[in-house]
Amino acid sequence: MPSADLARLARYAISGGLSALTHFSVGLAGTGLLRLSPVPASTAGFAASVVVSYLLQHAWVFRSGAGHAVAGPRFLTVTAAALALNTVVLWLGADVLDGPYPVVQAVALVLIPVLNYALNSRWTFTGGAPRVPR
C-alpha cells in the first residue's frame, strides 16, 4: 500500500477518534451540565459528531474538492447506510442468532468504519479538484 494511502488511513482513524470523543463529550455535557436524559444527550452528541466527522473528512482526510452541496448529502446517505448496517448486524447477531450483545456490537463496530471508508473515499468526496495538502 502506498504511503499516501497509509497516511489517509491514519487521518481517517484520527478523525474517527475525534468524532467519537465529540459524541461522548457532548453527551456527557448534556447529562451533566444540562441535566438531559441520556437518549437526547446522546442524540445531540451523535449529531455533533456527524458534523465534526464530515468537516474533518472533507477538508483533511480526503482533501476533497467536491462542493458541500454534493458531498454533504452523500455523507448523510453513507451515515444512514452505516446505521442500517449496524441495525442488521445487531438484529441478525443478537436477535436471530442469540449472540452476546458485546460480541455482536464489536463485529458491527469493525464493519461500519470499513463501509464508511469505502463509500466515502470512492463516492462521497469525489469530484472537484482535490485540495492540496499544506
Side-chain angles (χ1 to χ4, degrees), residues 4-133:
D5 291 340
L6 290 174
R8 186 167 73 173
L9 279 171
R11 291 191 306 268
Y12 181 74
I14 291 166
S15 75
L18 292 171
S19 176
L21 182 62
T22 299
H23 187 157
F24 189 67
S25 298
V26 170
L28 280 178
T31 56
L33 298 174
L34 301 175
R35 304 285 182 222
L36 297 173
S37 65
V39 172
S42 182
T43 301
F46 176 79
S49 76
V50 168
V51 172
V52 166
S53 183
Y54 172 76
L55 292 173
L56 285 173
Q57 288 186 40
H58 188 278
W60 184 53
V61 174
F62 299 108
R63 296 180 172 138
S64 177
H68 295 296
V70 172
R74 288 179 178 182
F75 185 82
L76 292 176
T77 300
V78 171
T79 300
L83 175 61
L85 175 62
N86 184 74
T87 302
V88 168
V89 169
L90 268 286
W91 173 73
L92 280 173
D95 291 351
V96 174
L97 300 175
D98 202 28
Y101 169 75
V103 172
V104 176
Q105 186 64 74
V107 169
L109 290 174
V110 168
L111 294 175
I112 289 168
V114 172
L115 172 73
N116 283 352
Y117 186 84
L119 293 177
N120 284 329
S121 66
R122 290 176 175 87
W123 180 59
T124 303
F125 296 113
T126 60
R131 296 170 64 148
V132 177

